[in-house]
Amino acid sequence: MSTRRSAAEAFEKVPTLIFPNSAAAAAELAKEVKQIIETKNRAGKPAVLGMATGSTPVPFYRELIRLHKQEGLSFKNVITFNLDEYYGLKGDHPESYGCFMADQLFNHIDIPKENIHIPNGTIASDQVFAHCREYEEAIDAVGGIDLQILGIGRTGHIGFNEPGSSRESLTRRITLDRITRQDAASDFRGEENVPSFAITMGVGTILRAKKLVLMAWGENKAGIVAKAVEGPVTEVISASFLQDHPDARFLIDSGASRELTRFKLPWLVGPVSWTPRETQRAVVWQSVKAKRPVLKLVDEDYNENGLSDLLSEQGPAYQLNIRIFNRLQNTITGWPGGKPNADDTYRPERARPYPKRCLIFSPEPQDAIVAIGATIDRLREQGHEVRVVSLTSGSLRVADSEADKFASTLLELGATAADSAQWQAQTEYARELVKLIEDKGEFGEDPPALRSLKALILRGELRDAAHAVGVPQEKVVFLDLPFYEKGRYRRFFSSPEDVAAVAAHVRDFKPHQIYLTGDAADPSSVPAIAFKVTESALKECEQDDWFGTCTFWLYRGKEKAFEPHEIDMAVPLSPVQMERKERALLRYQSLSSLEHQSPQGNRDAAKQYDGLGLAEYEAMECFQRWKRS
Ligand code: F6R
């Protein structure tokens, strides 16, 4: 953990502590909360905690539960106020924040029910105003909040204070921002099901708390964290108001810290050890800043932008430029499996053995094809044995309307078939499914039969999409890892069972190459959990014969794309290959359009390379060599 106030943190306007991972940060914060509870209780007072929901506080709540169960921390004298609640969801809706808090914390500790406060999202419209005022009064009546936990949305919101919320705003009903609703889409199986409104504490309410702690994990949060910590205080990013609070802190993991100046542009804040990666980062940055290709940068560019130190170590510019240009150039290859019979000194992947066994891990059925479908296509076309492994079934992503469509088709088939008597069992099954969909209502939990139909729909779509990039059915494998089958979004727990299933599969295939994603994702997301499980499975295989010759390639799914200095292999796509990939993605009919966004990312990657003065391709799929710890 690093603390603030060093020269390196000169750009940060609020104390920002960086931890290796969310669990370490959560443990530290839970320890502090324990102290607050004990100190207040010793003084005969209740501790008042402000709670947040979403995936961010989950590791913290797990740690509080551990402290309660293993170290006897009591919550009998704790009062809580939650930041917010969706407006318009039934109280027992599994995605309501009331249910979330019960599941994640309250049901596992000894807090009295009457001490728990969560805005009422079911209150009649004409009573919302009074309810919000009473919420404010209830906070004041217990002497205010001692410590308020916060997460941050991609819009920069705290609570649900979307852009435009004023510093003085109080508890009120608000309209959720489009981005916030998109981020909640997987919880609700589609953006259209996400409530449009919420009741939230205001920025003013939050700022009244004695201490504020904002947590953020994963690279997806890095951009907004940097704006909130280093940018101006503005209503556009309500988290930036923390800069004005006398006792506010950001606790973040290394992924979420990546856009802070001390990591992104370290040469602006102090001496840098010029490793090849840092050098490449600086040259690429300089090229983007000057809007000139790498080979056209001159000494003045470096000197005038804080890079004179680099120049004196590795200059003049002309030589530095050529070295970095060549390094970038060497990342580009149309042969992701290595080029047989070619000198591979400067190629990202070795030529031998040929052909290779390539294992592609897809956290959910769509991830791999969306992110690296064209590379899969090439590997197979170039004679390698490709196996696509979907780690989870993805069933939670499929909308009821899709399941209904399949069940209704089956029903109709039974009714119209000439030998309809023989369809009786199938017709019964379809009727049962239609009824299950009706009975559970818009927001109910999927019963097992419905979940398995949804899994089958997605299986079909992955097989179809894989086929569109040339991978035959029998090379597509579904592991349906138990952590996914037993959980819901933001509430997954992996177990040794998951690890064993992945390890068994890898051992069976003995790959020469493994492609995987999720290392940089929000730790409670499916890709991040799948990544951890895979990482543990690979650890188990370390002594196997095949392991030493296997290479590991990271790709980016929904996480933030690699920047040019992070890329070790860039596979270019021609317009025709891009079209082929886009056609493959259309096979995922049951998923929302958001799941199909990667082609634009592939085009942006190619544009970046072009801007640096490298060849101009239609698109690129990019990879980083995974150096396993
Ligand atoms: C939830 C809340 C929100 C979340 C934010 C981040 O009570 O107040 O501000 O903290 O939307 O959500 P996650 O943690 O799911 O990324």
Side-chain angles (χ1 to χ4, degrees):
M1 182 186 77
S2 41
T3 49
R4 202 186 171 229
R5 300 289 170 223
S6 68
E9 293 148 81
F11 287 78
E12 294 156 25
K13 299 175 187 156
V14 58
T16 303
L17 308 185
I18 299 160
F19 292 80
N21 53 52
S22 58
E28 184 97 352
L29 179 60
K31 219 189 294 162
E32 181 176 343
V33 167
K34 180 171 188 254
Q35 271 165 11
I36 294 177
I37 295 174
E38 289 171 349
T39 312
K40 293 238 28 187
N41 288 179
R42 269 198 303 276
K45 291 185 184 151
V48 185
L49 301 178
M51 301 307 212
T53 53
S55 52
T56 306
V58 170
F60 166 66
Y61 293 151
R62 283 182 193 162
E63 183 59 16
L64 287 185
I65 294 169
R66 193 194 67 75
L67 288 178
H68 171 66
K69 297 210 159 132
Q70 292 177 11
E71 297 186 21
L73 176 65
S74 172
F75 292 80
K76 284 222 162 79
N77 214 1
V78 170
I79 297 175
T80 63
F81 287 89
N82 262 81
L83 282 166
D84 41 19
E85 176 60 284
Y86 288 116
Y87 183 74
L89 283 191
K90 287 206 198 103
D92 60 353
H93 187 290
E95 289 307 328
S96 74
Y97 286 167
C99 284
F100 178 96
M101 288 306 295
D103 249 30
Q104 296 295 318
L105 183 65
F106 296 146
N107 284 351
H108 311 280
I109 57 176
D110 59 347
I111 187 167
K113 282 221 160 19
E114 60 278 15
N115 287 9
I116 297 171
H117 303 82
I118 301 180
N120 182 353
T122 62
I123 199 138
S125 209
D126 59 353
Q127 288 167 36
V128 168
F129 184 78
H131 175 65
C132 293
R133 201 183 47 219
E134 284 159 16
Y135 204 70
E136 292 280 332
E137 287 166 2
I139 294 173
D140 292 341
V142 294
I145 291 172
D146 293 310
L147 183 142
Q148 174 68 55
I149 303 298
L150 299 166
I152 181 169
R154 278 197 301 142
T155 58
H157 69 214
I158 47 176
F160 273 138
N161 290 285
E162 299 292 20
S165 301
S166 82
R167 182 197 299 259
E168 281 70 37
S169 54
L170 297 177
T171 303
R172 67 205 187 286
R173 180 169 52 180
I174 51 94
T175 305
L176 294 174
D177 190 277
R178 178 89 201 271
I179 296 180
T180 301
R181 297 184 67 234
Q182 285 172 352
D183 284 347
S186 55
D187 306 342
F188 287 88
R189 285 165 219 158
E191 192 186 326
E192 65 280 10
N193 300 324
V194 181
S196 300
F197 306 101
I199 295 183
T200 181
M201 284 186 195
V203 176
T205 325
I206 293 170
L207 292 178
R208 282 209 313 277
K210 289 162 201 143
K211 256 185 212 296
L212 299 177
V213 178
L214 187 150
M215 295 183 277
W217 325 128
E219 290 195 12
N220 275 348
K221 296 281 173 79
I224 195 67
V225 163
K227 284 186 185 150
V229 169
E230 298 189 348
V233 175
T234 163
E235 286 181 358
V236 179
I237 297 173
S238 59
S240 67
F241 286 116
L242 265 68
Q243 293 178 21
D244 285 349
H245 190 280
D247 192 353
R249 250 172 310 155
F250 277 56
L251 300 191
I252 61 181
D253 67 358
S254 52
S257 73
R258 292 198 34 170
E259 297 284 319
L260 294 176
T261 305
R262 60 170 140 155
F263 298 110
K264 197 174 165 67
L265 310 173
W267 50 90
L268 295 185
V269 292
V272 173
S273 136
W274 291 109
T275 59
R277 192 75 94 193
E278 281 306 300
T279 307
Q280 201 163 321
R281 182 207 292 262
V283 175
V284 165
W285 173 76
Q286 185 52 58
S287 161
V288 172
K289 184 159 195 288
K291 297 199 179 68
R292 260 179 294 126
V294 169
L295 292 176
K296 287 193 179 175
L297 296 175
V298 292
D299 284 0
E300 286 73 19
D301 290 318
Y302 291 102
N303 282 331
E304 286 165 14
N305 288 289
L307 290 167
S308 54
D309 175 38
L310 171 63
L311 209 57
S312 58
E313 206 178 294
Q314 301 191 32
Y318 171 71
Q319 276 173 8
L320 175 60
N321 296 347
I322 291 196
R323 234 190 13 264
I324 298 305
F325 179 86
N326 286 339
R327 202 172 289 151
L328 290 165
Q329 178 70 36
N330 292 339
T331 61
I332 304 175
T333 181
W335 298 84
K339 187 170 188 181
N341 306 320
D343 171 14
D344 57 12
T345 318
Y346 297 112
R347 291 183 171 278
E349 181 58 89
R350 70 221 189 276
R352 289 176 183 284
Y354 178 83
K356 291 188 173 64
R357 284 187 296 275
C358 310
L359 191 54
I360 321 281
F361 281 120
S362 190
E364 290 182 84
Q366 74 284 6
D367 293 319
I369 307 282
V370 170
I372 58 166
T375 301
I376 295 173
D377 200 357
R378 273 190 191 253
L379 286 168
R380 185 215 34 91
E381 205 178 64
Q382 292 166 358
H384 302 288
E385 183 183 349
V386 175
R387 195 184 275 191
V388 178
V389 177
S390 177
L391 290 164
T392 67
S393 72
S395 58
L396 293 169
R397 280 205 181 276
V398 179
D400 286 346
S401 55
E402 287 297 318
D404 195 48
K405 190 167 83 186
F406 274 77
S408 304
T409 307
L410 190 53
L411 262 183
E412 196 168 344
L413 208 56
T416 54
D419 52 351
S420 59
Q422 292 195 14
W423 283 81
Q424 211 176 333
Q426 289 87 337
T427 305
E428 273 312 307
Y429 167 73
R431 203 169 281 134
E432 172 69 15
L433 283 164
V434 172
K435 186 165 175 327
L436 286 177
I437 296 170
E438 269 169 25
D439 288 354
K440 87 184 179 81
E442 203 181 350
F443 296 129
E445 288 273 356
D446 285 355
L450 184 54
R451 236 177 128 161
S452 51
L453 172 63
K454 289 181 171 182
L456 288 179
I457 292 172
L458 218 38
R459 272 190 184 203
E461 291 181 353
L462 169 55
R463 283 199 195 104
D464 205 11
H467 182 72
V469 293
V471 179
Q473 281 214 16
E474 63 278 11
K475 301 286 180 194
V476 182
V477 177
F478 301 88
L479 291 190
D480 291 353
L481 289 182
F483 85 82
Y484 187 91
E485 296 311 306
K486 292 180 193 155
R488 34 187 314 124
Y489 284 99
R490 300 175 203 246
R491 295 176 227 182
F492 295 115
F493 287 92
S494 64
S495 74
E497 245 186 307
D498 298 295
V499 176
V502 176
H505 193 83
V506 185
R507 286 197 158 121
D508 169 60
F509 191 57
K510 300 185 179 50
H512 301 110
Q513 277 194 322
I514 295 182
Y515 291 84
L516 68 172
T517 186
D519 66 313
D522 167 355
S524 65
S525 67
V526 174
I529 295 169
F531 180 82
K532 281 260 165 272
V533 166
T534 312
E535 196 179 22
S536 309
L538 292 175
K539 268 224 148 31
E540 288 189 4
C541 304
E542 267 171 358
Q543 303 308 322
D544 295 8
D545 288 347
W546 58 271
F547 194 86
T549 57
C550 185
T551 52
F552 302 91
W553 292 102
L554 297 173
Y555 64 91
R556 288 292 156 92
K558 281 184 283 294
E559 309 97 292
K560 196 173 159 295
F562 290 122
E563 291 180 35
H565 71 275
E566 299 172 306
I567 295 170
D568 292 312
M569 175 161 76
V571 179
L573 279 63
S574 70
V576 173
Q577 286 165 324
M578 192 62 175
E579 258 176 46
R580 201 169 141 86
K581 174 170 175 174
E582 279 169 334
R583 271 203 305 278
L585 298 185
L586 290 177
R587 312 294 172 102
Y588 288 107
Q589 284 171 354
S590 69
L591 300 176
S592 75
S593 58
L594 275 181
E595 304 299 333
H596 305 166
Q597 269 175 357
S598 105
Q600 191 47 46
N602 299 150
R603 289 198 169 91
D604 293 345
K607 271 201 203 96
Q608 274 187 314
Y609 264 61
D610 176 32
L612 297 171
L614 293 130
E616 182 179 356
Y617 290 98
E618 172 73 9
M620 278 177 161
E621 291 178 347
C622 299
F623 302 86
Q624 188 176 63
R625 201 183 302 283
W626 184 30
K627 299 192 187 69
R628 300 177 51 255
S629 50

